[in-house]
Amino acid sequence: MIAEHIAIEAIDVLLVDVPAIRPHRLSVATMNCQTLVLVCVRCSDGVVGMGEGTTIGGLAYGEESPESIKVNIETYFAPLLKGMNAARPGAVMAKLRGLYQGNRFAKCAVETALFDAQAQRMGVPLSELFGGRITDTVEVAWTLASGDTGRDIDEAEDMLARRRHRVFKLKIGSRAVKDDVAHVVAIKHALGDRGEVRVDVNQAWTESDAIWAAKRFSDAGVGLIEQPIAAASHAGIKRLTELALVPIMADEALRWPADASALARERCADVFAVKIAQSGGLLGAASVAAIAQAADIDLYGGTMLEGAIGTIASAHLFSTFGELKWGTELFGPLLLTEDILTEPLRYENFALYLPHGPGLGVTLDWDRIDRMRRNRTRGASIAMN
């Protein structure tokens, strides 16, 4: 039986600027505000799918920015997509990937919107399109990134008391290595066994820096080191992994599924950070996870500090993984001062709870989004029930 042709009629891209609850300090930038890139795909059957392609720190982190995502989708993707069959998201994305290079975040946003629409059409949660969820909750770590030791300790204590997070990742790499190590060790000592501490260096160190720090982290009980050196240095990551002082997680090195294959073949990490935007979409992220599982490499559900759309899309996919040993980092909406949903995502008992409705299972608050969007002159064009 041939599936009905359901045309893609329109694609809208919105930039929504939302202040952060506090400065979020990375090795490459400090974020005081997050720009959510929301993509709305309207279909001829009346179904509307939503996706998100949000980045971290603009061009300081990667080759795409919120502005480039918007321009490239509107200029290149949209003319190609209009009229294509929305009921065949895999075929649509294959065409898109075949014609246009790179643009992983933009492709992720469009693909998420297409799969959201398709799941709504079928009356099932998005997770059912990727094998079906195994769990209704995913554990969520919290990132401590103020850069102030006392403030970070207080923040972690508050999260533990509220039973919202018990795993803490520290963003380091912007200061001298010895200062970063002292900062991390002090926080771990303050939390003791009540909270797990991990670090993310965002490629800021040399290999010798990482070796020196890893010994001290191991002695202090730090549980994981994420991307300590340059993503291109597969040999260096492999040597750090083989030292076995602290488990090593690959993140920026996993730009495409092909990178996952290369890293797995050489056993260049103990853990893979799976990110839907970094992998070019849900399909790419699922491939990265499959490669890791086949190579007996552990999984971690990563984030690009997306808002509610990218976060819950990631959670739908992560819920289908056979094992998510290192949990997730899907705290993005909690870092923002305002929510874009009529009913916020549910964070309780150290976990994020997945909704059960069709598609992404969430409802956007368009009045609030319209108030925060950068260009408000087209607000009426994205109003939805």
Side-chain angles (χ1 to χ4, degrees):
M1 181 178 178
I2 299 176
E4 177 187 0
H5 185 95
I6 299 171
I8 297 172
E9 290 188 334
I11 301 165
D12 294 315
V13 186
L14 296 76
L15 301 184
V16 182
D17 296 315
V18 188
I21 60 173
R22 53 129 169 95
H24 192 76
R25 192 180 306 276
L26 295 82
S27 66
V28 295
T30 298
M31 297 171 53
N32 295 291
C33 176
Q34 178 63 298
T35 299
L36 310 180
V37 185
L38 303 182
V39 174
C40 172
V41 174
R42 301 177 182 278
C43 308
S44 61
D45 60 351
V47 175
V48 177
M50 292 300 304
E52 182 178 343
T54 299
T55 68
I56 295 177
L59 291 176
Y61 182 86
E63 70 277 11
E64 289 179 84
S65 68
E67 296 77 13
S68 74
I69 293 171
K70 177 177 171 63
V71 168
N72 287 338
I73 291 176
E74 292 178 339
T75 305
Y76 295 97
F77 292 9
L80 171 72
L81 295 173
K82 287 178 182 177
M84 293 189 72
N85 191 356
R88 302 286 299 275
V92 173
M93 291 307 301
K95 181 75 170 178
L96 195 63
R97 287 192 296 268
L99 285 178
Y100 299 124
Q101 301 299 311
N103 289 280
R104 293 170 294 152
F105 290 67
K107 288 174 179 174
C108 176
V110 171
E111 184 190 81
T112 299
L114 289 169
F115 277 117
D116 175 37
Q118 182 70 350
Q120 290 182 55
R121 202 170 282 121
M122 298 173 66
V124 299
L126 181 65
S127 54
E128 301 311 294
L129 301 187
F130 291 86
R133 68 180 63 169
I134 294 172
T135 177
D136 286 321
T137 65
V138 290
E139 185 173 25
V140 178
W142 178 255
T143 293
L144 299 170
S146 74
D148 180 273
T149 303
R151 181 174 178 177
D152 282 353
I153 291 171
D154 290 343
E155 193 172 300
E157 292 285 5
D158 178 58
M159 296 299 176
L160 286 168
R162 294 159 58 190
R163 292 185 58 81
R164 212 173 71 179
H165 307 278
R166 57 187 168 197
V167 177
F168 302 96
K169 190 170 83 171
L170 277 62
K171 289 285 189 179
I172 59 175
S174 62
R175 299 177 292 195
V177 179
K178 65 179 181 63
D179 294 333
D180 272 340
V181 169
H183 171 67
V184 172
V185 170
I187 292 172
K188 177 56 184 172
H189 284 167
L191 299 181
D193 293 335
R194 294 174 300 128
E196 182 180 342
V197 170
R198 305 166 182 174
V199 299
D200 183 4
V201 192
N202 288 127
Q203 310 180 73
W205 287 347
T206 65
E207 189 175 342
S208 59
D209 288 336
I211 293 171
W212 184 86
K215 174 62 170 63
R216 287 149 182 83
F217 286 158
S218 176
D219 291 343
V222 173
L224 187 71
I225 301 175
E226 180 177 348
Q227 201 66 55
I229 65 175
S233 182
H234 287 192
I237 291 288
K238 178 178 173 64
R239 286 190 291 268
L240 291 173
T241 301
E242 290 175 339
L243 285 176
L245 295 174
V246 178
I248 301 294
M249 181 160 72
D251 178 14
E252 287 91 346
L254 294 164
R255 292 167 51 88
W256 295 104
D259 296 322
S261 180
L263 291 171
R265 186 165 52 248
E266 298 297 324
R267 189 70 190 192
C268 293
D270 301 293
V271 186
F272 279 3
V274 183
K275 298 179 178 179
I276 65 171
Q278 189 157 271
S279 302
L282 293 156
L283 290 170
S287 294
V288 170
I291 290 167
Q293 290 173 316
D296 199 26
I297 293 173
D298 294 335
L299 295 177
Y300 177 73
T303 182
M304 296 304 298
L305 297 182
E306 294 100 333
I309 298 298
T311 294
I312 204 60
S314 299
H316 275 284
L317 179 66
F318 298 162
S319 74
T320 70
F321 294 168
E323 184 178 12
L324 199 57
K325 181 175 178 178
W326 294 85
T328 79
E329 193 183 342
L330 298 179
F331 70 92
L334 299 174
L335 190 63
L336 306 179
T337 58
E338 296 203 51
D339 208 299
I340 63 169
L341 302 180
T342 57
E343 183 177 344
L345 299 180
R346 180 184 171 196
Y347 289 92
E348 292 179 8
N349 298 316
F350 311 114
L352 168 61
Y353 287 68
L354 274 73
H356 291 274
L360 294 171
V362 297
T363 303
L364 282 85
D365 185 331
W366 287 104
D367 289 338
R368 187 173 294 178
I369 290 171
D370 190 56
R371 177 168 51 80
M372 294 186 291
R373 65 181 299 200
R374 228 175 257 186
N375 176 10
R376 301 175 62 186
T377 61
R378 296 174 57 202
S381 70
I382 50 88
M384 292 187 289
N385 294 328

